[in-house]
Amino acid sequence: MASSWFESVAVAQRRARKRLPASVYGALMAGSERGQTREDNVAAFAELGFAPHVAGNPAQRDLATTVLGQAISMPVIISPTGVQAVHPDGEVAVARAAAARGTAMGLSSFGSKPVEDVVAANPQTLFQIYWSGSRDDILARLERARKAGAVGLILTTDWTFSHSRDWGSPHIPDHIDLRTMLLHAPEAIIRPRWLVRYARTGRPPDLTVPNMAPPGGPAPRFFGAYGAWMQTPPPSWEDVAWLREQWGGVFLLKGVSRIDDAKRAVDAGVTAISVSNHGGNNLDGTPATIRALPAVADAVGSQVEVLLDGGVRRGSDVVKALALGARAVMIGRAYLWGLAANGQSGVENVLDIFRNGIDSALLGLGRSSVHELSRDDVLIPPGFLRSLGG
Ligand SMILES: Cc1cc2nc3c(=O)[nH]c(=O)nc-3n(C[C@H](O)[C@H](O)[C@H](O)COP(=O)(O)O)c2cc1C
C-alpha cells in the first residue's frame, strides 16, 4: 500500500483533489471573480528571495513563540474555515492535530463542529464570528464560546458576498439526503475513499452550522445561516469597539489590508489584526497580503500583534512573513488539503512540513530563533510592496 505520508503541501493538494468529490474540492479552492487575489497571494511569496549564509550557522533553531496570549511551538496557527463535507471528524480532527503539534486552533462560527467539542480537543481555541444578526444574537454566540472555554475571539469583517467565479461555482446542496446523495452519486462514486469515510460514520455529510444555533435551538442549515448574515448591515467601527468590549479578552480583527483601517482597529481596542483578504475569496483585485504586510506592520506593529494569512504554503513563506513584520501566520487551504488527504494525521503532516521548512530557512539564514528574523533576510524586488490607505 502506498504511504499516506506526503512531503509537501502541493502533494497534499493533489491528493485532496483526487479524493474529494469535485464540488467539495471546488468549494475549498474557492477564489472569487477571476481569482486574481487568490493567485497573487501565492505568487507574491515566490517573488521574494533569501540571502543565505554558508558557514557559522546555528546548530539549533528555536521556533517557539507566543501569539494572541498563547505559547505555541511555531509561528503557525489554524485559520478558521468551514470544513463541511471534507472529513467526518472536521474541525475536531484539525483541533487535535494542532494540539498534537503544539499550536492554536481558529474555529469558524460556520464550522461543522460545536465549539464545546473543538475546545475539548484543543484548549488553545479561538472562536471566529461574523457580524450576523442582532447584537443580542452575536452576544449569545460570544457567551457560548466563552462558556466553552475559547481563549480568544476573532472577528472577520471582510466578506463581500461576491458569488461570481469565472471558473463556475460548485453546486452545494442545502442539505444532504437520499435525493441529493443520488444527484451527487456520480462524482462521489469515483471518490471511494471519501465515500467510505462517511459510510463508516453511518451518516451523510452534515451541512449544518451548530455554532450559529440560537440558545437551546437546533443547528441551522448552512444556507439558512448564510441568508441571515446577508440580511445584516455590515458593522461600524463603533460595533467593532463594542464587541471588543463585550468580549474583554484577546481580540483579533481579521481581514485588514489598509493602514488607515489598521489604525482604526487599534483605536477600537483590538489586541491583534490579521492582514488578510480571506484567501482571495471576496474582493478580487485586493493585492496579496504579503505585499501589504510591511506597511501595516510599520504603522501599528508596535501597538498590536500583526498576523498574516493568505497563500502560505511552505515554511519559507512563514519565514518571509515574519521577516516582513508578522508575529505569526494563519494557514487555511494547506491544512484543509491535509485533512482531505489523511484526516488528523494529514493535518499533522502539514504542520510538520511547515516546521521543517521554517527550521531549514532559519538554518540557511543563520538565525537561531524566529525572533531574530528581520527585513535584511529577504530580497524584495522593486515594485513588490503595496501601501494601501496610508
Ligand atoms: C473553504 C474556505 C472556508 C473559509 N471559511 C472561513 C470562515 O468561516 N471564517 C473566516 O474568518 N475565514 C474563512 N476562510 C478564510 C481563511 O480563514 C483564511 O483567511 C484563508 O484561507 C487564508 O488563505 P489560504 O487558504 O491561501 O491559506 C475560509 C477559507 C476557505 C478556503
Side-chain angles (χ1 to χ4, degrees):
M1 209 182 109
S3 163
S4 47
W5 178 84
F6 44 84
E7 69 184 271
S8 67
V9 169
V11 176
Q13 180 179 358
R14 284 201 291 278
R15 292 206 185 153
R17 182 179 210 142
K18 255 204 226 153
R19 290 193 186 165
L20 293 174
S23 55
V24 180
Y25 181 76
L28 292 196
M29 288 310 292
S32 58
E33 300 282 337
R34 65 161 69 89
Q36 183 182 340
T37 297
R38 186 191 72 185
E39 275 155 36
D40 195 35
N41 276 347
V42 176
F45 275 110
E47 289 178 33
L48 295 170
F50 285 125
H53 290 287
V54 289
N57 292 1
Q60 254 120 41
R61 280 79 52 191
D62 184 10
L63 275 58
T65 189
T66 55
V67 69
L68 304 165
Q70 299 301 307
I72 50 175
S73 67
M74 64 173 164
V76 178
I77 67 173
I78 299 293
S79 208
T81 63
V83 300
Q84 276 82 2
V86 174
H87 191 282
D89 297 337
E91 295 84 355
V92 170
V94 178
R96 282 194 192 121
R101 293 301 184 261
T103 197
M105 165 80 192
L107 172 67
S108 168
S109 52
F110 272 74
S112 63
K113 298 290 177 195
V115 59
E116 294 78 9
D117 295 1
V118 174
V119 175
N122 187 339
Q124 293 187 298
T125 292
L126 297 107
F127 185 66
Q128 177 265 325
I129 58 173
Y130 290 114
W131 191 262
S132 169
S134 67
R135 280 190 170 193
D136 284 349
D137 296 334
I138 293 168
L139 269 189
R141 267 170 237 142
L142 179 151
E143 289 308 334
R144 177 176 167 186
R146 193 198 304 279
K147 209 167 143 223
V151 293
L153 194 71
I154 302 175
L155 173 65
T156 306
T157 52
D158 63 355
W159 190 250
T160 56
F161 302 97
S162 161
H163 303 130
S164 163
R165 291 159 174 166
D166 289 1
W167 48 274
S169 294
H171 172 71
I172 303 174
D174 180 44
H175 66 289
I176 298 190
D177 55 14
L178 191 60
R179 200 182 142 271
T180 44
M181 288 279 274
L182 289 173
L183 206 67
H184 285 261
E187 52 165 318
I189 279 164
I190 58 166
R191 298 290 184 262
R193 287 200 220 210
W194 178 85
L195 210 55
V196 165
R197 275 181 195 154
Y198 277 97
R200 280 201 193 119
T201 69
R203 283 178 287 116
D206 182 5
L207 299 186
T208 60
V209 282
N211 299 307
M212 297 294 283
R221 295 215 167 111
F222 184 90
F223 285 110
Y226 191 83
W229 176 25
M230 282 183 85
Q231 305 302 316
T232 309
S236 64
W237 283 106
E238 287 69 37
D239 290 326
V240 175
W242 171 82
L243 191 66
R244 207 271 322 152
E245 212 176 305
Q246 297 301 315
W247 176 252
V250 166
F251 188 100
L252 167 74
L253 182 67
K254 177 171 177 281
V256 174
S257 286
R258 300 172 54 112
I259 296 166
D260 49 359
D261 278 5
K263 289 182 176 163
R264 290 172 108 161
V266 172
D267 293 343
V270 308
T271 35
I273 57 170
S274 181
V275 177
S276 166
N277 50 41
H278 219 106
N281 291 343
N282 49 28
L283 188 58
D284 199 30
T286 307
T289 50
I290 190 69
R291 298 186 197 280
L293 170 72
V296 172
D298 285 347
V300 300
S302 60
Q303 294 159 281
V304 293
E305 289 183 346
V306 177
L307 283 76
L308 168 138
D309 68 80
V312 179
R313 302 286 181 268
R314 53 192 86 242
S316 59
D317 293 344
V318 180
V319 167
K320 288 170 182 173
L322 264 60
L324 295 192
R327 176 101 191 147
V329 304
M330 302 202 288
I331 53 168
R333 292 178 183 86
Y335 78 79
L336 291 174
W337 294 327
L339 181 67
N342 197 22
Q344 179 185 335
S345 305
V347 180
E348 290 170 3
N349 194 155
V350 163
L351 292 170
D352 291 342
I353 290 166
F354 278 106
R355 180 183 307 285
N356 293 336
I358 296 169
D359 187 57
S360 154
L362 287 179
L363 170 61
L365 292 169
R367 301 294 190 191
S368 59
S369 150
V370 288
H371 298 289
E372 288 176 7
L373 290 164
S374 78
R375 241 167 249 190
D376 296 344
D377 293 314
V378 175
L379 302 175
I380 306 174
F384 177 84
L385 298 173
R386 300 282 184 279
S387 180
L388 281 66

